[in-house]
Each structure stands twice: as C-alpha cells, then as structure tokens.
Amino acid sequence: MTTYILLTNWTDQGARNVKASPTRLDTARKLLRDMGGDFKAFFMTMGKYDMVIVCEAPDDAVLARFCLQLAMQGNVRTQTLKAFPEAAYREIIRSVS
C-alpha cells in the first residue's frame, strides 16, 4: 500500500456545516475503506490547513478517485502528498548518481 498525506481545508460550505464534519469524516473513512484503503491518522490542525489525514491506498488512481469524490461533495478541498517511508527514502537516496 502507498501512504498519502492529505492537507485539507473546509470550503465555505463545509465551514457553514462544521457540526456535521465528524459524520462526514466517518463517511469518508468508510468510502476509502470500501475502495481498499484506510485512514492511519486524522488531525484537526491550526494554521494553513484545517485537517491533516494520513492514509493508505492501493495506488494513485484509487486515491485520486477518493479525493475527487470528496471534492464533489463540496465540503473540503485537498492537497495530496505521496509519502515515502524511511526505507524507501534511504533506497532512493542510495540510488542517486
């Protein structure tokens, strides 16, 4: 599984309906699970982003579909980072010419 970090912000719609956010989170978690992925961590944050999600998905296409489905609901916008674990990082650095 590939690890991803989603930097997430509420849209105006999402902020107006913030009290429904925990239910939307549960729905998003189930959606990703149904697509073969999983949430590993969720944080509400202060600063540039409202929430940070660490998740896993079978591949980039699955996560792209997941993010598109979130966007279609209109409550959040995401920026996605593909994350490399330390072992992969070390292998990548070793392979640099």
Side-chain angles (χ1 to χ4, degrees):
M1 289 266 217
T2 303
T3 301
Y4 302 89
I5 299 167
L6 304 182
L7 306 174
T8 309
N9 281 315
W10 282 302
T11 61
D12 288 342
Q13 172 183 303
R16 277 192 307 274
N17 299 306
V18 75
K19 288 191 175 191
S21 183
T23 301
R24 294 192 305 258
L25 173 60
D26 295 340
T27 300
R29 188 183 310 267
K30 182 182 179 321
L31 173 64
L32 184 57
R33 194 174 301 124
D34 290 347
M35 298 171 88
D38 194 24
F39 277 39
K40 293 300 175 185
F42 171 86
F43 303 94
M44 186 174 87
T45 55
M46 296 169 49
K48 186 174 181 177
Y49 300 100
D50 297 317
M51 296 157 285
V52 174
I53 301 165
V54 179
C55 62
E56 291 182 342
D59 57 44
D60 294 349
V62 168
L63 197 76
R65 283 193 299 277
F66 173 72
C67 289
L68 287 169
Q69 291 207 356
L70 291 182
M72 288 169 49
Q73 294 173 19
N75 295 299
V76 295
R77 294 287 177 256
T78 60
Q79 290 186 4
T80 304
L81 304 172
K82 186 172 183 173
F84 296 88
E86 184 177 348
Y89 149 79
R90 290 181 181 280
E91 181 59 34
I92 291 165
I93 298 303
R94 270 194 298 275
S95 70
V96 173
S97 303

